[in-house]
Amino acid sequence: MQVSVNGKSWTLLPPKIGHVEKLMRELSLSRFVATCIAHHLPSDALLNLEDWASPNLEQLHDPFFMKGMPSAIERIERAIQDNERIRIVTDYDVDGTTSSLILQAVCGILAGRELLDYHIPNRFIEGYGFSIQAAEQAAKDKINLIITADIGIRDAAAVTRARQLGVDVVICDHHLPAGETGPQDANVILCPPQQGCAYPNAGLAACGVSLKLAQALLSRSRKYASNPDKVQLIVRSLLKLAAIGTIADVVSLATSENRAIVQLGLHALRHTPHSPGLQALLNVSQLSDGWVDVGSIGYNIAPRINAAGRIDDAKIVVDLLLCKDPKRARTLASRINDLNTERKGLQERLVNDALLSVPEPLPAFVTVSGEVSDGWHSGIIGIVAGRLRDHLNRSVAVISVSGDIGRGSVRSVDQVHAVNALTSAKSLLNRFGGHAAAAGFDVPSVHIEPLGKALIEFAEKEMKGKPVVPNIEVSVEALPELLTLKEIQRLEDLGPFGKDNPRPVVQLSCIRPKHAIVLKEKHIKFSLGALSCIWFNGAEHWSQLKAHSIDIIGEVGVNRYNQRSSPQFIIRDARLSASSHL
């Protein structure tokens, strides 16, 4: 097995000939584009390729298919009619903040802003989720109805406390394994994976669930029910936020509804006017030219929104996007940008410190920890754990210690289920949760060492002594001259790409780059004819490759700069060509 410079193997997927021919015939695609798309095309998409290739509003399902929707509408309408006080309570990440804005927008339209407010937990004070503290504060503030989003489904104690104090709770969430149930004391639960829900799209993000609630409220409103064009206009505007949250939360982009949310949201972000707050956010995210796509949300917008919740307080994001004054919006956006710069600096320092803490020989599961006072910031440990996992090809737990408690984050390799690993050591933990690839936990600091040993023991059993060699699936092998701007733009049109519909990985074989340049002492850039190639953080490998014929894999895209577009290849990995070994 040939291994790349990043310690990974590559597998060139066999082409799905039948799918390729159908795509070429019905969508007039080239063989290259059709081969890229065919590998991850959902089976239901083959039944109607035209609809799949052209997402539209009709692909947004009837919100009343969702279990609990009629009851949620009844409770919220009653609150509006009786002038009850409503509070929106959401998570502090992108999905949570966009959910808050969607729900505030529709409730504000229907009820006015006077009796409406919002709360986003501060991760350093309340921690994650809808807390008992937040429930009690709502009662003190004489709130009648709480609508949660992106939290609540696992917060039964807080829901019960709210009801005890006379505060009703409607939950909009998606953090639930299929077929399970949420808090019994909630008035209504909107969560597509829950038991008994037949909604056609179980893969909605919380902002998607919030969008469905907004659709339902508008469709039943006396003010808007008779004016479907106005409803559609409002929904299209809300799709901007739903697209940002859906992309950032990395939910499935293989479902027709999620594809429509993202594509229509991106179209609105590119082609319609923005509020002063959103425009200021786009400007500091270096997207002032108006071009927004999945990549720019994932790499430019989402990190800035998340940085507020990781380093300071996510309320600044909501304040920004509600802001109507351009001058104040620029000030808030600048603050968010500064927080993101701070986050990146903290992150780089902590990655370096964590790497120095990695034990030798490398164990099956790496656990590193440090004091908050020494820079082990709890808001960035998840990012750091992911960086270490990718660098070490091991499951990693990074723990930020403050006093007697450590707050940990796990990022895991495919062979080791993160939650199952923590479950094996649950007697050592205060709490934990997550999914196969990522999880979080709280642990008494005296238990950190035995926890590390327990995680190693679990991982060794799962891996059975086999080395971890991550594999990258390659969609197609191509010649550089085939990767024209026209071909790449056609491929882009068939997005959005993301979870369950990954951006195709393309392999270029036996190339000999000439005139490569090093950027900022860490990136490599060269051209293959009209195709510009860039390899971020590739400089460390270049000395062993530059004198040889090499294979590279990566993703094609369009580089837009100064109103000009050109074909681009983003390199993910490289290896010596087979001929170089002869």
Side-chain angles (χ1 to χ4, degrees), residues 23 56 69 75 86 108 145 182 340 365 393 404 438 457 468 491 495 536:
L23 285 161
N56 54 71
M69 188 64 76
R75 181 63 190 91
I86 302 172
L145 174 63
N340 189 52
F365 199 119
N393 294 332
D404 297 333
E457 183 179 347
V468 179
L491 181 61
F536 295 106

Side-chain angles (χ1 to χ4, degrees), residues 70 135 202 204 270 282 377 399:
L204 283 170
R270 294 168 188 160
L282 294 175
H377 196 291
I399 303 172

Side-chain angles (χ1 to χ4, degrees), residues 130-327:
F130 174 39
S131 66
I132 291 175
Q133 177 184 343
E136 293 176 341
Q137 186 61 51
K140 289 179 183 176
D141 295 339
K142 297 187 176 359
I143 298 296
N144 303 103
L145 174 63
I146 286 174
I147 306 174
T148 77
D150 205 30
I151 52 177
I153 202 71
R154 295 191 179 280
D155 300 313
V159 173
T160 298
R161 185 60 178 148
R163 295 300 305 282
Q164 288 171 345
L165 296 170
V167 183
D168 285 349
V169 181
V170 172
I171 295 173
C172 303
D173 208 340
H174 67 134
H175 295 110
L176 195 67
E180 290 193 8
T181 58
Q184 297 298 308
D185 288 330
N187 293 75
V188 187
I189 296 174
L190 302 178
C191 184
Q194 72 175 308
Q195 185 180 65
C197 185
Y199 190 74
N201 179 17
L204 283 170
C207 61
V209 178
S210 301
L211 178 72
K212 305 313 295 183
L213 179 56
Q215 279 185 277
L217 283 166
L218 290 166
S219 70
R220 292 294 177 90
S221 161
R222 292 174 185 163
K223 185 177 180 181
Y224 293 102
S226 61
N227 190 346
D229 290 342
K230 183 66 173 178
V231 171
Q232 189 177 109
L233 187 66
I234 296 171
V235 169
R236 286 187 180 276
S237 178
L238 296 178
L239 280 166
K240 295 180 185 181
L241 296 165
I244 292 171
T246 296
I247 292 166
D249 219 51
V250 199
V251 296
S252 176
L253 292 185
T255 71
S256 61
E257 184 169 48
N258 284 358
R259 283 173 54 78
I261 287 171
V262 170
Q263 280 289 60
L264 297 172
L266 289 175
H267 185 272
L269 283 164
R270 294 168 188 160
H271 301 294
T272 64
H274 305 313
S275 67
L278 179 55
Q279 187 60 59
L281 177 60
L282 294 175
N283 290 345
V284 298
S285 300
Q286 302 173 335
L287 300 171
S288 55
D289 62 355
W291 186 262
V292 183
D293 57 17
V294 172
S296 57
I297 288 175
Y299 291 103
N300 296 64
I301 296 175
R304 286 172 168 81
I305 293 176
N306 276 330
R310 291 183 185 280
I311 304 298
D312 191 358
D313 193 324
K315 289 180 180 178
I316 188 176
V317 175
V318 178
D319 288 346
L320 167 64
L321 293 176
L322 290 176
C323 183
K324 301 268 195 296
D325 175 48
K327 183 176 180 181

Side-chain angles (χ1 to χ4, degrees), residues 448-507:
I448 290 175
E449 185 175 346
L451 172 64
K453 292 178 180 177
L455 294 176
I456 291 171
E457 183 179 347
F458 178 85
E460 286 175 344
K461 289 178 181 176
E462 294 295 297
M463 294 164 61
K464 299 173 183 175
K466 296 178 181 177
V468 179
V469 181
N471 181 65
I472 299 176
E473 293 185 339
V474 179
S475 304
V476 63
E477 188 173 12
L479 297 172
E481 54 266 30
L482 290 178
L483 306 182
T484 64
L485 181 61
K486 181 179 179 181
E487 284 285 87
I488 293 173
Q489 286 178 325
R490 184 65 181 115
L491 181 61
E492 294 279 287
D493 290 342
L494 294 170
F497 298 108
K499 183 181 179 183
D500 299 332
N501 186 38
R503 181 172 288 277
V505 178
V506 180
Q507 179 173 331

